[in-house]
Amino acid sequence: MYVTRTFELPPSASSSVREELQFLPPSKLTVESVSKTFKTRTGPVQALDKVSLQVGEGEFVCLVGASGCGKSTLLNIIAGLEKPDSGTVTADGLRVLEPGRERLVMFQESALFPWLDVLGNVLFGLKMKPHLSNKDRKQVARYYLELVGLTRFERSNIHELSGGMKQRVALARALAPNPRMLLMDEPFAALDALTREQLYGDLQQIWESRRKTIIFVTHNVREAACLGDRVLLFSPHPGRIREEFLIKLPRQRDINSTALAEYASRIMASLKGFKENNGEVAE
Amino acid sequence: MKRFFLSLLFFAGLLLLWEAVVRMHIWSPVLLPAPIKVVEYLKSAAADGTLWQAIVVTLKRLLLGYAIGLIGGVPLGLLTARWNVLHDTIGTLALGLQTLPSVCWVPLALLWFGQSEAAMLFVVVMGTLWSVVIATDTGVRHVPPIYRRAALTMGSKNLHIWLRVILPAALPFIVSGMKQGWAFAWRSLMAAEIFVTILSGFGLGQLLHYGRELNAMDQVIAIMFVIVLIGLLADKTFFAPVERFLHRRWGTSQEAA
């Protein structure tokens, strides 16, 4: 039911382009008893309380919970954008101390740069790879624009794109430096249902074709069941991982299938069961 | 095209009105010369070279002072935006000095530098610098933090972030600060040239000044025309295209021709 696109390099692609596009082994991630407290005007808020988790190579893990349960904070800590008060994050055996392009983040708002056009945005991360020539970089960027189906829009300005197209560009930009892990912070939350459904299909396909480890934060239970190999449930105040669901459904998954709906309602029931849960969760 | 003719019609109308008022002899021709007198002055001043010389002298002073104001102002604004200590000190100073009409610098410049080019330059720089500093500072502080975070995860750091992310993101603010700085530089230079007679070159302001001394109203009005024209030209040839580009890229306004 999804359009399958083939992604092939032009025969003229140089060896450095081929090397740049080769599959890197996806990352393995360990989070060990990470805690984080924020100071707010109303007093300290414990966003994370000794959270531990393991993510295998090439695994697609969804973090689900009410807003304010600390799941985005955890993602930022994994990205290296924030520091935990205690605990460690290890990616492939190395401590995560600062952000780096092995773990690229895709934000809820597109965070695309309005002063660059679509191609310029996808090129941004590639510009920091000194061994590539400009021609190589363009070829790599175009490869990923094709992957997300936006080849025709490479010269468009960001404000001319629809919300869905913006997130596709953001996905291409995140994929372009060939990270081994993608961290996605509610990337589809602001999109309409139809566009989201399309992107679920695309993302699954890209995940399979590019072999990345993906950690995906969402408050949408169905979305989590559709995308994740594993869904982790957070409870708020303080943020903790309370439960884990393995989603044993074949890919590509259709968000509207009944089997998926069953998983979603089980996850939802669990979430509602958390006494502390006074936030909102969308089904 | 229609809009062009409309504006042409408007200015032709103004000219006619002027001529009509002159013919009614309400004011003495010394106070209000006919348009043709003004054109005649411009012709003769262009023919004997005084006009061109004055324009060159003025533009030289203006561009040099403006360039120094920009080269100093943008980095200074970046610094005040980066460190709160500098924002609270230099930033506050800039804010205060920006409210000072630039003509107020003239007496000080005269005493410090005498009747020299340096005094002119000083006044123009003071007119430009502070508004550029403040616009850059404001622009940087308005950059959404998410741009920085996105750039960080893509491997951008320190100076690279400042040059490739923060600076371009703040560009709309900086350009409007540049425009304001240009207007201030123009005003302060004219004030300086009218007040300060120096022998190293006669600018447009000085021609204006001598026009008054000689009761030559045709000269005064003609020079005012030239000053307005240069201002318009700078706007149309430099600022307008830049602003159009920014609006198109950012999508901040509907396409205006």
Side-chain angles (χ1 to χ4, degrees), chain A residues 150-175:
Chain A
L150 285 179
T151 311
R152 283 190 303 125
F153 296 92
E154 67 169 55
R155 283 293 160 209
S156 296
N157 294 318
I158 300 307
H159 69 91
E160 294 161 340
L161 306 178
S162 67
M165 285 156 85
K166 278 182 194 160
Q167 287 307 63
R168 280 170 200 271
V169 177
L171 183 59
R173 183 173 79 167
L175 288 168

Short mmCIF file of all heavy atoms in Angstrom, two decimals, chain A residues 150-175:
data_model
loop_
_atom_site.label_atom_id
_atom_site.label_comp_id
_atom_site.label_asym_id
_atom_site.label_seq_id
_atom_site.Cartn_x
_atom_site.Cartn_y
_atom_site.Cartn_z
N LEU A 150 11.70 14.39 -2.12
CA LEU A 150 11.59 15.84 -2.29
C LEU A 150 12.57 16.40 -3.33
O LEU A 150 12.93 17.57 -3.29
CB LEU A 150 11.82 16.55 -0.96
CG LEU A 150 10.68 16.48 0.04
CD1 LEU A 150 11.06 17.19 1.33
CD2 LEU A 150 9.42 17.09 -0.53
N THR A 151 13.00 15.53 -4.24
CA THR A 151 13.99 15.96 -5.23
C THR A 151 13.58 17.25 -5.94
O THR A 151 14.40 18.13 -6.17
CB THR A 151 14.18 14.86 -6.28
OG1 THR A 151 14.37 13.64 -5.59
CG2 THR A 151 15.39 15.13 -7.14
N ARG A 152 12.30 17.35 -6.24
CA ARG A 152 11.84 18.50 -7.03
C ARG A 152 11.89 19.81 -6.25
O ARG A 152 11.75 20.88 -6.81
CB ARG A 152 10.40 18.26 -7.51
CG ARG A 152 10.32 17.32 -8.68
CD ARG A 152 8.92 17.30 -9.27
NE ARG A 152 7.93 16.95 -8.25
CZ ARG A 152 6.89 17.70 -7.97
NH1 ARG A 152 6.71 18.85 -8.58
NH2 ARG A 152 6.02 17.32 -7.04
N PHE A 153 12.06 19.72 -4.94
CA PHE A 153 11.96 20.92 -4.11
C PHE A 153 13.29 21.41 -3.58
O PHE A 153 13.34 22.20 -2.66
CB PHE A 153 11.01 20.66 -2.94
CG PHE A 153 9.61 20.37 -3.38
CD1 PHE A 153 9.18 19.08 -3.59
CD2 PHE A 153 8.73 21.41 -3.62
CE1 PHE A 153 7.90 18.82 -4.03
CE2 PHE A 153 7.44 21.17 -4.05
CZ PHE A 153 7.02 19.86 -4.26
N GLU A 154 14.40 20.93 -4.17
CA GLU A 154 15.69 21.26 -3.56
C GLU A 154 15.98 22.74 -3.55
O GLU A 154 16.72 23.22 -2.70
CB GLU A 154 16.83 20.49 -4.24
CG GLU A 154 17.08 20.88 -5.68
CD GLU A 154 18.38 20.27 -6.20
OE1 GLU A 154 18.54 19.06 -6.12
OE2 GLU A 154 19.24 21.04 -6.69
N ARG A 155 15.39 23.51 -4.47
CA ARG A 155 15.65 24.95 -4.49
C ARG A 155 14.56 25.75 -3.77
O ARG A 155 14.55 26.97 -3.80
CB ARG A 155 15.78 25.45 -5.93
CG ARG A 155 17.13 25.11 -6.54
CD ARG A 155 18.25 25.86 -5.84
NE ARG A 155 19.55 25.23 -6.07
CZ ARG A 155 20.56 25.28 -5.22
NH1 ARG A 155 20.41 25.92 -4.07
NH2 ARG A 155 21.68 24.70 -5.48
N SER A 156 13.62 25.06 -3.13
CA SER A 156 12.51 25.77 -2.46
C SER A 156 13.00 26.41 -1.16
O SER A 156 13.93 25.94 -0.52
CB SER A 156 11.38 24.80 -2.13
OG SER A 156 10.83 24.30 -3.31
N ASN A 157 12.32 27.50 -0.80
CA ASN A 157 12.56 28.09 0.52
C ASN A 157 11.76 27.31 1.55
O ASN A 157 10.71 26.73 1.23
CB ASN A 157 12.12 29.55 0.53
CG ASN A 157 12.99 30.40 -0.38
OD1 ASN A 157 14.22 30.22 -0.41
ND2 ASN A 157 12.37 31.28 -1.14
N ILE A 158 12.24 27.33 2.77
CA ILE A 158 11.62 26.53 3.82
C ILE A 158 10.15 26.92 4.04
O ILE A 158 9.29 26.07 4.20
CB ILE A 158 12.42 26.66 5.13
CG1 ILE A 158 13.85 26.16 4.92
CG2 ILE A 158 11.75 25.87 6.25
CD1 ILE A 158 13.96 24.78 4.34
N HIS A 159 9.88 28.23 4.04
CA HIS A 159 8.51 28.65 4.36
C HIS A 159 7.51 28.27 3.28
O HIS A 159 6.32 28.35 3.49
CB HIS A 159 8.47 30.16 4.61
CG HIS A 159 8.71 30.98 3.39
ND1 HIS A 159 7.68 31.41 2.58
CD2 HIS A 159 9.83 31.43 2.80
CE1 HIS A 159 8.18 32.10 1.56
NE2 HIS A 159 9.48 32.12 1.68
N GLU A 160 8.02 27.85 2.12
CA GLU A 160 7.10 27.46 1.05
C GLU A 160 6.63 26.02 1.20
O GLU A 160 5.76 25.58 0.46
CB GLU A 160 7.79 27.62 -0.31
CG GLU A 160 8.11 29.06 -0.66
CD GLU A 160 9.16 29.19 -1.75
OE1 GLU A 160 9.92 28.23 -1.99
OE2 GLU A 160 9.24 30.27 -2.34
N LEU A 161 7.20 25.27 2.14
CA LEU A 161 6.87 23.85 2.28
C LEU A 161 5.73 23.66 3.27
O LEU A 161 5.54 24.45 4.18
CB LEU A 161 8.09 23.08 2.78
CG LEU A 161 9.39 23.21 1.98
CD1 LEU A 161 10.49 22.43 2.67
CD2 LEU A 161 9.21 22.74 0.56
N SER A 162 5.00 22.57 3.08
CA SER A 162 3.96 22.21 4.06
C SER A 162 4.64 21.59 5.28
O SER A 162 5.82 21.26 5.25
CB SER A 162 3.01 21.19 3.44
OG SER A 162 3.71 19.98 3.23
N GLY A 163 3.88 21.44 6.36
CA GLY A 163 4.44 20.87 7.58
C GLY A 163 5.06 19.50 7.34
O GLY A 163 6.15 19.20 7.83
N GLY A 164 4.38 18.66 6.58
CA GLY A 164 4.89 17.32 6.30
C GLY A 164 6.18 17.37 5.50
O GLY A 164 7.13 16.63 5.78
N MET A 165 6.22 18.26 4.52
CA MET A 165 7.42 18.37 3.70
C MET A 165 8.59 18.87 4.54
O MET A 165 9.73 18.43 4.38
CB MET A 165 7.18 19.31 2.52
CG MET A 165 6.32 18.69 1.43
SD MET A 165 5.50 19.96 0.46
CE MET A 165 6.76 20.34 -0.73
N LYS A 166 8.31 19.81 5.43
CA LYS A 166 9.37 20.31 6.31
C LYS A 166 9.98 19.17 7.11
O LYS A 166 11.20 19.08 7.24
CB LYS A 166 8.82 21.36 7.28
CG LYS A 166 8.70 22.72 6.68
CD LYS A 166 8.20 23.71 7.72
CE LYS A 166 7.76 24.98 7.03
NZ LYS A 166 6.87 25.79 7.81
N GLN A 167 9.12 18.30 7.66
CA GLN A 167 9.67 17.22 8.47
C GLN A 167 10.42 16.21 7.60
O GLN A 167 11.35 15.57 8.06
CB GLN A 167 8.57 16.53 9.29
CG GLN A 167 8.08 17.36 10.47
CD GLN A 167 9.19 17.84 11.41
OE1 GLN A 167 10.07 18.60 11.01
NE2 GLN A 167 9.15 17.42 12.66
N ARG A 168 10.01 16.08 6.34
CA ARG A 168 10.79 15.23 5.43
C ARG A 168 12.18 15.81 5.20
O ARG A 168 13.18 15.09 5.18
CB ARG A 168 10.09 15.10 4.07
CG ARG A 168 8.96 14.13 4.05
CD ARG A 168 8.19 14.27 2.75
NE ARG A 168 6.88 13.70 2.89
CZ ARG A 168 6.62 12.42 2.63
NH1 ARG A 168 7.57 11.64 2.21
NH2 ARG A 168 5.40 11.95 2.81
N VAL A 169 12.22 17.13 5.01
CA VAL A 169 13.54 17.77 4.83
C VAL A 169 14.37 17.57 6.10
O VAL A 169 15.56 17.24 6.03
CB VAL A 169 13.39 19.28 4.53
CG1 VAL A 169 14.76 19.93 4.43
CG2 VAL A 169 12.62 19.50 3.24
N ALA A 170 13.72 17.75 7.26
CA ALA A 170 14.44 17.58 8.52
C ALA A 170 14.98 16.15 8.63
O ALA A 170 16.09 15.93 9.11
CB ALA A 170 13.52 17.89 9.70
N LEU A 171 14.18 15.19 8.14
CA LEU A 171 14.63 13.79 8.18
C LEU A 171 15.84 13.61 7.25
O LEU A 171 16.84 12.99 7.64
CB LEU A 171 13.47 12.87 7.77
CG LEU A 171 13.74 11.37 7.82
CD1 LEU A 171 14.14 10.93 9.22
CD2 LEU A 171 12.52 10.59 7.35
N ALA A 172 15.74 14.18 6.06
CA ALA A 172 16.87 14.08 5.12
C ALA A 172 18.10 14.73 5.72
O ALA A 172 19.21 14.21 5.60
CB ALA A 172 16.50 14.74 3.79
N ARG A 173 17.91 15.88 6.36
CA ARG A 173 19.05 16.59 6.95
C ARG A 173 19.68 15.76 8.07
O ARG A 173 20.89 15.75 8.24
CB ARG A 173 18.58 17.94 7.49
CG ARG A 173 19.71 18.76 8.06
CD ARG A 173 19.26 20.16 8.44
NE ARG A 173 18.57 20.18 9.71
CZ ARG A 173 18.31 21.30 10.39
NH1 ARG A 173 18.66 22.46 9.90
NH2 ARG A 173 17.67 21.26 11.53
N ALA A 174 18.82 15.08 8.84
CA ALA A 174 19.34 14.25 9.93
C ALA A 174 20.04 13.01 9.40
O ALA A 174 21.01 12.53 9.99
CB ALA A 174 18.20 13.86 10.88
N LEU A 175 19.55 12.48 8.27
CA LEU A 175 20.16 11.26 7.72
C LEU A 175 21.46 11.55 6.98
O LEU A 175 22.36 10.70 6.93
CB LEU A 175 19.18 10.58 6.75
CG LEU A 175 17.96 9.90 7.36
CD1 LEU A 175 16.96 9.56 6.26
CD2 LEU A 175 18.37 8.63 8.11
#
